[in-house]
């Protein structure tokens, strides 16, 4: 959570957006040296470079959208590819569904696709860090809200549709707890 707090500062986000692409360990060492020499604290450099690496890997799933998103290692691995999420969202739109609960939203990929089609979405995630990442990723959409909550406690009566990907969820456990099992 401390790394996320560091990452969500204006300084870190600006630095993340300004970083040149890097691929080798030598590139990383050079960037670390340059950033530290410029006066950036070690924890900031660590958080920004870790996120830059995740963004680079995320291009395979999200294309250029990855450049404006934040990720966790597990969240990136478990996230739905953007074109698949768009197909899911299109099905909701075709069915005339206007308000969806994304139950176990992870980093928010499905919710992004839903919101981008004008569907109102409430995204629920039990893990605090992952919910914060989803909040960042969904911030551009005024028709989306993220709630850190256990999906088994959500009153789903107010929604026209529900989205739940059971393949990647363990009810009652945070992602960290589930990964230890």
């Amino acid at each position: 959570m401390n790394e996320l707090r560091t990452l969500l500062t204006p300084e870190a986000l600006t630095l993340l957006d300004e970083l040149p692409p890097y691929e080798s360990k030598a590139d990383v060492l050079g960037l670390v040296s340059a950033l530290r020499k410029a006066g950036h604290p070690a924890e900031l450099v660590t958080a920004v470079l870790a996120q830059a690496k995740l963004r680079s890997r995320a291009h395979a799933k999200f294309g250029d959208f990855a450049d404006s998103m934040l990720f966790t290692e597990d969240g990136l691995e478990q996230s739905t590819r953007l074109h698949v999420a768009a197909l899911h969202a299109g099905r909701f739109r075709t069915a005339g569904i206007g308000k969806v609960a994304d139950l176990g939203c992870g980093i928010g990929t499905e919710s992004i696709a839903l919101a981008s089609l004008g569907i109102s979405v409430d995204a629920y995630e039990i893990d605090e860090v992952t919910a914060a990442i989803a909040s960042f990723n969904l911030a551009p959409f005024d028709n989306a809200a993220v709630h850190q909550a256990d999906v088994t406690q959500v009153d789903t009566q107010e929604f026209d549709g529900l989205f739940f990907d059971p393949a990647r969820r363990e009810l009652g456990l945070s992602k960290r707890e589930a990964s230890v099992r």
Side-chain angles (χ1 to χ4, degrees), residues 22-93:
Y22 66 90
E23 296 183 22
S24 69
K25 288 184 181 183
D27 290 343
V28 173
L29 291 174
L31 278 171
V32 169
S33 294
L35 294 172
R36 292 293 288 134
K37 187 175 181 178
H40 297 292
E43 61 274 0
L44 178 86
V45 171
T46 299
V48 167
L49 289 179
Q51 196 56 222
K53 182 178 179 183
L54 289 170
R55 277 185 174 181
S56 178
R57 286 183 30 220
H59 271 265
K61 285 187 174 185
F62 302 106
D64 290 341
F65 288 103
D67 294 334
S68 62
M69 296 174 70
L70 294 181
F71 302 94
T72 63
E73 191 77 37
D74 288 344
L76 175 57
E77 183 179 312
Q78 296 174 359
S79 63
T80 303
R81 292 183 176 278
L82 196 54
H83 72 276
V84 174
L87 290 171
H88 295 160
R91 290 181 184 145
F92 279 93
R93 182 176 63 184

Side-chain angles (χ1 to χ4, degrees), residues 15 72 88 121 137 173:
L15 189 59
T72 63
H88 295 160
V121 61
N137 291 338
L173 300 176

